[in-house]
Amino acid sequence: MGLSVGPPPSHVLQPNQPIISKEDQKKGVSPHANGNGLQTPPPTPPRFLTAEDRTKLIKRYIQCSLFITTAAPFGFAALSHISYPTMVLGKSCKLIPVMIMNVLLYRRKFAMHKYLVVAMVTAGITMFMGFGPSKGKDKVSESSWFGMLLLVINLAIDGATNSTQDEIFSRYKVSGQQMMFFINLFSTIITSLLLVLPLPYIPTIHPGTNWELEIQQAMEFIRTHPAVVTPLAQFALTGSLGQLFIFETLQHFGSLTLVTITLTRKLFTMLLSVIVYNHKLTGGQWAGAATVFAGIAVEAYVKRKDVHAKRVMQEKEKAKIKDL
């Protein structure tokens, strides 16, 4: 049976207790908001998870694993019907489904400036990718509506995954390593079953011949192309190391910050190539980069302003305590 300790009286100021300014109270912003600007309730005293809590947590992990396992096939299937630039442009809008799924699935509210930042970063990344120099036949116009539908499904599932991860962190207070372990464990179980079970044809999920084992095709591919083993091992190693940073970012800053980092990394890479290799950017790309940096500046300004206001309030509260 789980044990819990009741919270102290509300009028007693606890050490390191977050203090929220009157301005923030009017905005409805919680002093315990994470990197998403989510209005989350104050943290409760540490407690042991009950058996019911553990069951719910495991279900959430399985839910995330199912989302991750099904999202990738839809993305790969979309590439058969749309051009790669279309895929890149679609992925640049990932912040929007992440925010929408947080609102729809878990009724979360965001600080107002977050909506502006998401809109500016999404618009800037889209401009940066869309106004790049065209490469022959790789044009958005060649994409089909069915491919676009598959891409939308992929983005929606990605958004559901990130929002569910935010829910796990806010409700169960797990660590990034714990989430990484359990989600990868259940994802491995699910994908292993898809590999070894004789399944019928399932669009995007199990596209092979009816009742044919996927593992047979995988092993045949490796036997035909043995050189692929080394890059597969490198991909597994670097991917696992990268996940350590991904889940730490998720835990401490939230999914919106994580997606913003993953979206802007290519922009920063290309800007670095301009400096190092004298690559040229179009006017539209420069405008897109400026829009992204403006969005990041808005986020930094609001965060700095909030931190300053909270420090002022803390100093005032400390002064009141000394007077008592």
Side-chain angles (χ1 to χ4, degrees):
M1 179 178 295
L3 300 177
S4 61
V5 180
S10 58
H11 64 277
V12 178
L13 185 65
Q14 299 300 309
N16 300 322
Q17 177 180 341
I19 301 171
I20 186 168
S21 65
K22 293 182 178 179
E23 181 181 355
D24 282 343
Q25 289 176 351
K26 293 179 181 178
K27 295 179 183 177
V29 177
S30 168
H32 306 282
N34 65 7
N36 285 345
L38 299 179
Q39 298 175 12
T40 54
T44 55
R47 65 182 180 85
F48 296 106
L49 290 178
T50 64
E52 183 181 1
D53 289 334
R54 287 194 292 270
T55 301
K56 290 180 179 179
L57 177 58
I58 292 299
K59 288 180 179 178
R60 290 296 187 194
Y61 283 142
I62 296 175
Q63 181 181 344
C64 284
S65 299
L66 286 170
F67 285 152
I68 292 170
T69 305
T70 54
F74 279 102
F76 292 133
L79 276 175
S80 300
H81 303 277
I82 63 176
S83 62
Y84 182 73
T86 306
M87 172 69 81
V88 173
L89 285 175
K91 288 290 188 179
S92 70
C93 302
K94 187 179 176 181
L95 278 169
I96 295 176
V98 170
M99 179 172 277
I100 290 175
M101 288 300 176
N102 265 295
V103 174
L104 293 181
L105 296 180
Y106 302 107
R107 299 294 186 268
R108 286 198 175 91
K109 295 180 180 179
F110 294 87
M112 289 305 298
H113 77 277
K114 282 289 180 180
Y115 295 98
L116 175 62
V117 172
V118 166
M120 294 179 70
V121 171
T122 300
I125 294 293
T126 302
M127 292 168 61
F128 191 85
M129 301 302 178
F131 287 111
S134 60
K135 297 181 180 179
K137 297 181 179 179
D138 288 340
K139 295 180 181 178
V140 175
S141 59
E142 296 177 358
S143 302
S144 69
W145 285 106
F146 180 66
M148 295 298 292
L149 175 62
L150 293 175
L151 177 58
V152 169
I153 294 173
N154 172 263
L155 290 172
I157 297 175
D158 280 344
T161 303
N162 289 130
S163 60
T164 302
Q165 290 171 330
D166 284 336
E167 175 70 6
I168 292 173
F169 280 126
S170 64
R171 185 174 295 275
Y172 300 103
K173 312 302 179 187
V174 299
S175 69
Q177 288 81 7
Q178 288 172 331
M179 178 181 286
M180 175 181 169
F181 173 79
F182 282 105
I183 288 181
N184 280 287
L185 173 65
F186 290 120
S187 295
T188 301
I189 293 173
I190 294 170
T191 52
S192 297
L193 290 174
L194 291 174
L195 280 173
V196 301
L197 290 180
L199 299 175
Y201 171 78
I202 305 173
T204 71
I205 303 298
H206 192 269
T209 309
N210 282 353
W211 310 106
E212 184 179 356
L213 300 184
E214 286 250 357
I215 194 170
Q216 293 177 346
Q217 300 178 27
M219 296 306 295
E220 180 62 28
F221 180 83
I222 292 176
R223 281 194 293 268
T224 307
H225 307 87
V228 78
V229 174
T230 300
L232 280 177
Q234 293 172 340
F235 180 79
L237 177 62
T238 55
S240 59
L241 291 176
Q243 281 197 16
L244 291 172
F245 296 96
I246 288 173
F247 282 96
E248 281 297 304
T249 304
L250 269 173
Q251 178 185 354
H252 297 290
F253 302 101
S255 60
L256 282 183
T257 301
L258 173 66
V259 175
T260 301
I261 292 171
T262 57
L263 288 179
T264 55
R265 63 182 177 180
K266 187 171 184 179
L267 181 147
F268 285 108
T269 301
M270 293 188 71
L271 289 179
L272 183 63
S273 72
V274 172
I275 300 173
V276 177
Y277 300 109
N278 294 320
H279 289 168
K280 303 297 182 183
L281 298 181
T282 65
Q285 286 182 304
W286 282 115
T291 304
V292 170
F293 284 121
I296 295 174
V298 170
E299 173 74 10
Y301 170 76
V302 173
K303 190 166 292 186
R304 183 174 180 276
K305 184 179 178 182
D306 289 343
V307 169
H308 177 71
K310 289 172 185 176
R311 285 178 179 173
V312 171
M313 291 299 296
Q314 286 175 344
E315 292 298 327
K316 290 181 179 179
E317 290 296 330
K318 289 179 181 178
K320 289 180 181 179
I321 293 173
K322 289 182 179 179
D323 291 341
L324 294 175

